[in-house]
Amino acid sequence: MLNQAYFEMGDVPAVAGQSWIPLRANHDVDLDAPEDLRSAKRFAGVATLAVYAGKEESAARLNWGDLSLQPHRAFVWNGEYHPADVYLDNRFDGPLGINLVIDQDLEGAADGVWHLHPDLVLALRLSRDGDTWFRPDEGWAEVVRLIRDEDRPVRLEIRAEFLADYLAARSMKLYLSSYHERVVEADEAPSFSWPEEGYSLENNRDTHEGRIAPRRKLGLGGDGFRIAGALWRTEWFEPGDFSPRVRGDRDPNPIAFASGPRGERVTADALQRGIDWLFFEPTLVGHLLRHRGSRLQWASAETGAVGAAEAPLHFGLNERGLINVFAKDVGRLQAWEQRIWAAHSVAEDGGVSAELFQVQMMVNPADTTAPEHALPEMLGAFEATFRDVFGSEILRPHQSVDDLLRRSHRFRAAEPDGLLSLAKDVTRLFIERVDVDAVRNAAVARGHVIEGVKALKALEALASTGVGEMAAKALMAPLFGLYDLRLADAHLGSDVASALDRLRVDPKAPAVIQGRTLLETVVIAVSALTEAIAAQLGESAA
């Protein structure tokens, strides 16, 4: 049964309050019609104009007939050139504003080309990648996106906060004129409560119309009825109160951080004074690394650098697993990244990282190595040793190796079920890449036959030829624990306690320390396995 309210279109939302604002839309959609209908369609069109200050009253007189979806053109009138981006109307004195999207009509092309205004791109410092414009200055935040339907541009929209910033800098407002239509063809006319001549309603800047008409009366031929609803709307999108990105305005809403044991709030400006450290939950790192261009680097076992943008901050990890960063460094971050850090700011607990204090206050970097830094080197050494001893490759190549290495860090453990996810990725990085056939062939060269076993058992048997059965079992135990923990990520009832014990992970320790211990134990195990294989080099030569 047809719904009258559907055609009256009271459900079409206004742009106010939306996160994405259309700058242009031209989308005609054929809908899947139920069996009792012949066809169903809908159309949404939006045309916009960025209006100059003082021209709002004139612009408010424009309607869909004025701001339509016709292509834009540059032209010469009375010897004067008029650029395609500037909107002129001979009813008004001078230009009213600019088109933030320029629709170019190409000869012979079925669809036009939509161009985002270059001033908007330059002012917001955007970078285009395909049909998306990003802002590198804010961790490659997605700002503008072009949506296509079978390669045809149908909607170009911008995040509201960035549009508000741009309009504020230029003292402009965005004027939107839109047309929405919903059409259904049916065998029978629905019993709506509309007058015979049709439905009509004026509501502020909205005009609603609805009509039910026989196809023959409309000159379409054949039996049946056409039921249509239409909405014409004009509305304003207001500029922001300030423009921190384009005009460099100061944000009136200060960002605050927890400071000291009591967690007293300190604004970003105050961080520039004195010598102090701030403390952050380890979940911070996962949020920073979601941004394109983010970095996580290691300088020692408990210090490194992390950030969402090009300039990561030097950090340390204390005994409670909290991140420590020099307060002044946080104060120098851009406001957008400060907000990410502030969301994870906590009161001081456990003191400053010993290694961070050692390098920043005593200028004496710790001579230690993070397992995250050692892991790729140890895997490389394992591959090279196996190749030298047996003349074949042991780890199968995979396109996801680099991504797995980036994700194999202790901060993963701070996320929900993060330790299990970390174990899964490290297993994929090492155990699941082992070429069992290469191990079997290597065992044959040692005079042993390995049949019917998987990667870890095969490696254990091979290692035993170099260091003995008991030593091989001991050095392989953490890797079996790793695999069991990986299974716990996929299967209920797995023995997690036993797996943690073999990995020497204390389940009562802070999550980030559990993650570090897992990685350290795996690195030590792979190193011992590498030595067990290297011990067979002379025997192989013989």
Side-chain angles (χ1 to χ4, degrees), residues 9 118 164 174 405 447 466 469 539:
M9 287 194 278
L174 187 73
L405 282 171
E469 185 175 341
E539 185 180 346

Side-chain angles (χ1 to χ4, degrees), residues 217-241:
K217 189 174 181 180
L218 297 173
L220 299 176
D223 297 329
F225 293 83
R226 183 178 187 270
I227 304 97
L231 167 65
W232 291 264
R233 170 179 288 166
T234 58
E235 55 191 320
W236 289 96
F237 178 83
E238 299 290 333
D241 295 328

Side-chain angles (χ1 to χ4, degrees), residues 101-116:
V101 178
I102 303 169
D103 187 345
Q104 180 185 10
D105 182 28
L106 295 177
E107 187 70 30
D111 303 311
V113 178
W114 293 5
H115 301 278
L116 186 62

Side-chain angles (χ1 to χ4, degrees), residues 490-504:
H491 304 289
L492 294 174
S494 299
D495 190 355
V496 173
S498 175
L500 294 178
D501 183 61
R502 281 176 286 170
L503 284 163
R504 304 181 182 88

Side-chain angles (χ1 to χ4, degrees), residues 7 28 72 104 128 152 155 161 213 301 352 375 399 430 503:
F7 296 93
D28 203 343
H72 303 110
Q104 180 185 10
R128 183 174 185 176
R152 175 177 173 267
R155 184 179 174 93
E161 64 172 303
V352 177
L375 181 61
Q399 61 183 11
F430 177 59
L503 284 163

Side-chain angles (χ1 to χ4, degrees), residues 174-328:
L174 187 73
Y175 186 70
L176 302 94
S177 175
S178 60
Y179 174 69
H180 303 265
E181 185 179 60
R182 297 170 180 174
V183 178
V184 164
E185 292 199 359
D187 293 329
E188 303 291 336
S191 56
F192 291 174
S193 61
W194 294 349
E196 184 176 348
E197 65 274 13
Y199 165 77
S200 180
L201 173 68
E202 296 283 342
N203 182 19
N204 294 324
R205 303 189 69 89
D206 290 357
T207 299
H208 301 259
E209 290 187 3
R211 187 179 182 190
I212 303 170
R215 286 176 52 86
R216 293 183 184 277
K217 189 174 181 180
L218 297 173
L220 299 176
D223 297 329
F225 293 83
R226 183 178 187 270
I227 304 97
L231 167 65
W232 291 264
R233 170 179 288 166
T234 58
E235 55 191 320
W236 289 96
F237 178 83
E238 299 290 333
D241 295 328
F242 54 96
S243 172
R245 298 176 180 90
V246 179
R247 198 164 56 197
D249 295 348
R250 193 177 191 84
D251 192 333
N253 305 307
I255 303 167
F257 299 84
S259 178
R262 298 174 59 179
E264 296 171 342
R265 309 308 290 182
V266 178
T267 64
D269 289 342
L271 298 180
Q272 300 294 338
R273 301 187 289 271
I275 298 177
D276 201 359
W277 288 265
L278 298 179
F279 292 68
F280 301 89
E281 292 283 1
T283 50
L284 163 70
V285 174
H287 286 80
L288 293 174
L289 295 183
R290 293 174 188 173
H291 292 266
R292 181 174 170 179
S294 58
R295 295 184 186 182
L296 173 61
Q297 303 163 335
W298 293 94
S300 68
E302 302 296 344
T303 68
V306 67
E310 294 296 320
L313 301 189
H314 197 184
F315 73 89
L317 282 162
N318 72 3
E319 60 185 17
R320 301 292 178 87
L322 296 179
I323 296 171
N324 312 145
V325 177
F326 208 38
K328 285 185 178 180

